[in-house]
Amino acid sequence: IKSYGCQMNVYDAERMADLLAPIGYRMVEEAKDADLLILNTCHIRDKAVEKVYSDLGRLRRIKTSRETSTHPMILAVAGCVAQAEGEEILKRTPYVDIIFGPQTYHKLPEMVARAHRETGTVLETEFPLESKFDHLPKPKARGRYSAFLTVQEGCDKFCTFCVVPYTRGAENSRPTADVISDARSLVAGGVREITLLGQNVNAYHGATPHGTELGLGRLITELAKINGLHRIRYTTSYPAEVDDDLIEAHATVPKLMPYLHLPVQSGSDSILQAMNRRHNIDAYRSLVDQLRHARSDIAFSSDFIVGFPGETDADFQSTLDLVDEIGFISAYSFKYSPRPGTPAAASLGQVPDEIKSQRLKTLQRKLSALQAAFNSTTVGSKLPVLLDGHGRYPGQLVGRSPYMQAVHVSAPTKQLGNIVNLRIEAAHPNSLAASYEGENYRRAIT
Ligand code: SAH
Ligand code: F3S
């Protein structure tokens, strides 16, 4: 399985692997060794889509070379390109055996059986009435210390640039008992940090066994009661839907990490309005203030789009000003990519690509400088780091700070899976180097 795009695709790919394990499939590293090859695709920007078609062209050769062997390859396209462009894929790449959307992958074993039986492409892109979550096995820790857990899917916000409401469907929250039971089984398997996922995760409103509903803040409070779970994160949030309970959770739940991805997209009110974002800059500013009041050490990251239709130099300057004002410690930024079928794609006032490129460069330079500056401020301090993997060099471990900074340290392997207070010695643009104080180490959490 090869995944493109967002964290939810990473999560979905694992769940596909879980579904296929009982019928005899296991993951392999190389495309040429795969009996079933799934491209789990992303439709968010044009570039991501073109990548899929070029990968398919390459994979066709491998598939053709195995056609006469005892192990022919089944080629499948999953995810948001499959959902949005099922018919187009059929036309452009008729050698694909299965095309299925993000809401139908629980039927994967059945689709594979059909692909073996039938000629022609199996197409499953209807939004089913049942929830795939009712058909998935319990998630497994797989030796990891940090795991994703989907709690919410879909989006009803219809930002005018975005395909997600069309590809992932309407907002839908998993019942709280299911989420808590999945979290428990991950923790029982050794997971110490869970990132709750949703396209619009703070729209979460899960049904409880008592016939009531819990929002995300209350869900986090419940999850924090699980012994052995040390860190909770969530992504991605829609600013206009951050409610008081969620802000309160940042004040009262120490396990909730002081780092929040809160996409603002633009620093200009008129552009935000044209994007149908339902928050203006004042509202965003006040939200950041409230969150800082709730948890003084909280830091923010964001997504930005430059060159949205109608964006003037002054609008773009407002974005740069907002970046300085909030002091984002990291961010993703993109050139606006017109997506077929979305309202903004048909807007007049499309910005020429050279201007988009220039603006992106300017913005990214500023964001990188802020990130480097934030990394530097941590030098000399101690940060609790969840050590969750081996580094590139012998004896080196890597982990994450509360702010998602990658931290490298020479430390014994027995520290894997622990949260250790490490002294930060040096800051690099994208990572930190720390020292380990031998047996005198203090575990941040025991
Ligand atoms: N809430 C969602 C965000 C959707 S996509 C989630 O994370 O699941 C992630 C980011 O991609 C958006 O925040 C936006 O900055 C960017 N994006 C979405 N559509 C885009 C487009 N048409 N062109 C450029 N960037 C886009
Ligand atoms: Fe996309 Fe806006 Fe929803 S960015 S995912 S339509 S909140």
Side-chain angles (χ1 to χ4, degrees), residues 176-255:
T176 53
D178 293 2
V179 172
I180 292 168
S181 130
D182 279 5
R184 280 189 196 288
S185 70
L186 287 169
V187 172
V191 165
R192 297 291 164 252
E193 172 180 86
I194 290 181
T195 302
L196 306 175
L197 293 183
Q199 263 84 39
N200 206 349
V201 71
N202 59 324
Y204 178 84
H205 54 98
T208 71
H210 321 294
T212 55
E213 282 191 347
L214 284 194
L216 186 66
R218 306 263 306 280
L219 176 72
I220 288 169
T221 307
E222 288 307 308
L223 289 169
K225 294 177 185 160
I226 300 177
N227 283 331
L229 176 61
H230 298 323
R231 289 181 163 187
I232 301 171
R233 304 177 185 275
Y234 60 92
T235 199
T236 300
S237 297
Y238 186 65
E241 271 184 328
V242 175
D243 65 7
D244 291 346
D245 279 348
L246 189 54
I247 296 173
E248 172 84 9
H250 280 279
T252 56
V253 181
K255 290 179 180 183

Side-chain angles (χ1 to χ4, degrees), residues 155 157-159 161-162 164-165 199-200 238 265 277:
C155 185
K157 300 298 170 282
F158 293 93
C159 300
F161 52 82
C162 184
V164 170
Q199 263 84 39
N200 206 349
Y238 186 65
Q265 311 298 355
R277 285 293 286 179

Side-chain angles (χ1 to χ4, degrees), residues 52-113:
V52 172
Y53 285 110
S54 78
D55 280 359
L56 279 172
R58 252 182 336 100
L59 292 168
R60 179 186 198 172
R61 261 172 268 144
I62 304 181
K63 183 175 157 70
T64 310
S65 72
R66 288 176 42 166
E67 222 127 64
T68 51
S69 81
T70 47
H71 275 299
M73 177 194 272
I74 295 180
L75 187 55
V77 179
C80 292
V81 179
Q83 187 63 48
E85 300 191 3
E87 299 289 337
E88 173 82 9
I89 298 170
L90 265 179
K91 250 189 266 150
R92 273 177 77 171
T93 55
Y95 49 88
V96 169
D97 301 292
I98 310 175
I99 300 169
F100 61 102
Q103 305 308 344
T104 54
Y105 68 73
H106 56 291
K107 298 187 197 163
L108 197 45
E110 177 198 326
M111 291 187 256
V112 171

Side-chain angles (χ1 to χ4, degrees), residues 4 42-54 81 85 88 92 161 163 334-340 353 356:
Y4 310 69
C42 173
H43 199 246
I44 200 80
R45 283 169 291 276
D46 197 41
K47 257 194 201 157
V49 178
E50 281 316 308
K51 178 100 184 59
V52 172
Y53 285 110
S54 78
V81 179
E85 300 191 3
E88 173 82 9
R92 273 177 77 171
F161 52 82
V163 291
F334 313 99
K335 287 197 267 187
Y336 169 66
S337 168
R339 309 306 295 125
D353 193 57
K356 287 186 199 170

Side-chain angles (χ1 to χ4, degrees), residues 1 4 25 28 65 91 94-95 101 158 172 183 278 292 302 308 315-316 334 357 362 364 370 403-404 409 411 427:
I1 305 175
Y4 310 69
Y25 287 93
V28 291
S65 72
K91 250 189 266 150
Y95 49 88
F158 293 93
N172 175 36
R278 303 185 211 181
R292 282 189 170 139
S302 184
F308 186 80
D315 292 320
F316 177 60
F334 313 99
S357 299
T362 308
Q364 290 188 337
L370 275 174
Y403 302 105
M404 284 302 276
V409 66

Side-chain angles (χ1 to χ4, degrees), residues 104-347:
T104 54
Y105 68 73
H106 56 291
K107 298 187 197 163
L108 197 45
E110 177 198 326
M111 291 187 256
V112 171
R114 277 175 57 200
H116 276 294
R117 235 180 14 241
E118 299 166 11
T119 49
T121 307
V122 177
L123 183 67
E124 281 277 0
T125 50
E126 294 296 312
F127 288 111
L129 289 174
E130 84 267 16
S131 163
K132 67 178 174 239
F133 292 104
D134 295 337
H135 301 266
L136 296 179
K138 280 232 157 307
K140 295 189 188 67
R142 299 166 182 272
R144 276 169 319 191
Y145 302 106
S146 181
F148 294 131
L149 176 52
T150 294
V151 302
Q152 181 278 345
E153 235 184 297
C155 185
D156 300 339
K157 300 298 170 282
F158 293 93
C159 300
T160 55
F161 52 82
C162 184
V163 291
V164 170
Y166 311 96
T167 59
R168 287 274 168 175
E171 283 174 5
N172 175 36
S173 298
R174 299 182 61 200
T176 53
D178 293 2
V179 172
I180 292 168
S181 130
D182 279 5
R184 280 189 196 288
S185 70
L186 287 169
V187 172
V191 165
R192 297 291 164 252
E193 172 180 86
I194 290 181
T195 302
L196 306 175
L197 293 183
Q199 263 84 39
N200 206 349
V201 71
N202 59 324
Y204 178 84
H205 54 98
T208 71
H210 321 294
T212 55
E213 282 191 347
L214 284 194
L216 186 66
R218 306 263 306 280
L219 176 72
I220 288 169
T221 307
E222 288 307 308
L223 289 169
K225 294 177 185 160
I226 300 177
N227 283 331
L229 176 61
H230 298 323
R231 289 181 163 187
I232 301 171
R233 304 177 185 275
Y234 60 92
T235 199
T236 300
S237 297
Y238 186 65
E241 271 184 328
V242 175
D243 65 7
D244 291 346
D245 279 348
L246 189 54
I247 296 173
E248 172 84 9
H250 280 279
T252 56
V253 181
K255 290 179 180 183
L256 185 54
M257 289 293 97
Y259 175 64
L260 183 56
H261 185 61
L262 196 59
V264 66
Q265 311 298 355
S266 164
S268 151
D269 280 344
S270 60
I271 294 296
L272 289 176
Q273 197 176 5
M275 287 177 165
N276 188 30
R277 285 293 286 179
R278 303 185 211 181
H279 61 82
N280 59 23
I281 290 308
D282 268 349
Y284 189 85
R285 211 178 257 139
S286 128
L287 188 55
V288 165
D289 284 347
Q290 288 176 69
L291 286 157
R292 282 189 170 139
H293 189 73
R295 175 114 193 209
S296 57
D297 58 349
I298 198 167
F300 296 92
S301 71
S302 184
D303 291 342
F304 294 94
I305 294 177
V306 299
F308 186 80
E311 188 187 66
T312 62
D313 286 340
D315 292 320
F316 177 60
Q317 186 58 45
S318 308
T319 300
L320 296 176
D321 293 346
L322 184 76
V323 169
D324 280 328
E325 182 188 331
I326 306 286
F328 295 102
I329 65 161
S330 73
Y332 298 99
S333 44
F334 313 99
K335 287 197 267 187
Y336 169 66
S337 168
R339 309 306 295 125
T342 59
S347 299

Side-chain angles (χ1 to χ4, degrees), residues 2-55:
K2 175 175 176 185
S3 274
Y4 310 69
C6 67
Q7 289 143 324
M8 198 174 285
N9 264 10
V10 176
Y11 174 88
D12 287 344
E14 273 175 17
R15 309 315 325 270
M16 290 178 203
D18 290 344
L19 278 162
L20 291 165
I23 57 168
Y25 287 93
R26 64 182 171 79
M27 294 291 256
V28 291
E29 291 297 320
E30 303 268 346
K32 66 176 178 31
D33 300 326
D35 296 330
L36 166 61
L37 203 141
I38 303 172
L39 297 185
N40 192 24
T41 62
C42 173
H43 199 246
I44 200 80
R45 283 169 291 276
D46 197 41
K47 257 194 201 157
V49 178
E50 281 316 308
K51 178 100 184 59
V52 172
Y53 285 110
S54 78
D55 280 359

